[in-house]
Amino acid sequence: YALELSKKLEAEIILFNVYHVPVPLGESAVNVIPWEELEEHSMSRLMKLKENLMFQNESTATIKCVSKCGFAVDEIAVYARDNGIDMIIMGTQGASYLSERVLGSTTSSLIHETNIPVLAIDKNLEYHPVQKIALAFQHQNDGNEVNFDSLKLFSRVFDSHIYILNINTSEEKSTYEHKQI
């Protein structure tokens, strides 16, 4: 999906993987894999994915591979911020409602952690040109303006329509408003 978007947006793709060193629990002997081996394995899998993407799609896209050790949400957010990333595209596994509520998911946690737009794509979704964009958010009347510049630019590239849903959790009556942005 990201590859198809990159063609339309003429964007570079960064395949990003975060791995962590397992911490042994308990007193029994545990075989700990050296972090260098984990890093090498992670980078090897990323390079294989890159080759498959390039071959299967006969692509000439610029694809960079980055592997980091740490916690996924933290590492992705820091890398994106420090490297001027415009959009984060993440595959989702479809975590169940209960597991996402109790444990959270990397994608939903990242959405809350960063100001960079995060596009969550179901692992089974096939690419289709973007025709309609729905943005659901909870706007607070706190005087802060919401910046829709990235969303407007994205919609112009695809000549798509934007539908914005403001989530109202108060007991006030909900209203419908149609605006051109």
Side-chain angles (χ1 to χ4, degrees):
Y1 203 94
L3 190 61
E4 292 299 323
L5 284 178
S6 78
K7 290 176 188 176
K8 185 78 173 173
L9 297 168
E10 298 176 2
E12 174 185 46
I13 294 177
I14 299 171
L15 296 176
F16 194 90
N17 185 56
V18 179
Y19 62 93
H20 65 277
V21 178
V23 177
L25 300 174
E27 295 182 21
S28 61
V30 176
N31 228 356
V32 178
I33 302 169
W35 71 268
E36 295 91 353
E37 194 174 316
L38 290 170
E39 181 176 27
E40 186 178 308
H41 179 71
S42 174
M43 189 56 82
S44 171
R45 291 185 67 201
L46 285 173
M47 294 302 289
K48 188 173 282 191
L49 176 59
K50 175 184 173 178
E51 289 170 15
N52 287 340
L53 284 171
M54 299 293 280
F55 177 75
Q56 290 173 359
N57 296 285
E58 299 176 1
S59 178
T60 58
T62 301
I63 301 178
K64 179 179 173 182
C65 296
V66 175
S67 181
K68 297 281 186 184
C69 180
F71 295 103
V73 173
D74 297 336
E75 293 298 326
I76 295 168
V78 167
Y79 184 88
R81 183 196 66 222
D82 292 351
N83 291 278
I85 302 301
D86 298 308
M87 178 186 291
I88 300 168
I89 301 174
M90 296 193 58
T92 61
Q93 298 289 329
S96 72
Y97 176 79
L98 183 59
S99 68
E100 188 166 330
R101 287 288 172 216
V102 174
L103 302 172
S105 76
T106 303
T107 304
S108 63
S109 296
L110 188 61
I111 289 169
H112 294 293
E113 182 71 26
T114 184
N115 291 329
I116 298 167
V118 177
L119 187 58
I121 304 293
D122 183 271
K123 68 178 181 174
N124 299 314
L125 185 66
E126 291 184 26
Y127 177 79
H128 298 285
V130 179
Q131 296 175 334
K132 297 178 182 179
I133 300 169
L135 171 66
F137 77 112
Q138 187 173 0
H139 179 64
Q140 306 293 327
N141 289 326
D142 55 7
N144 293 327
E145 284 293 314
V146 179
N147 187 335
F148 292 110
D149 292 346
S150 316
L151 187 61
K152 290 190 288 188
L153 177 63
F154 191 81
S155 80
R156 279 190 209 114
V157 168
F158 291 95
D159 193 28
S160 56
H161 296 279
I162 302 173
Y163 299 88
I164 299 175
L165 175 63
N166 183 22
I167 308 300
N168 182 359
T169 57
S170 71
E171 293 184 22
E172 296 175 23
K173 183 179 177 183
S174 295
T175 60
Y176 170 80
E177 184 178 344
H178 180 260
K179 279 188 185 177
Q180 199 74 22
I181 60 171

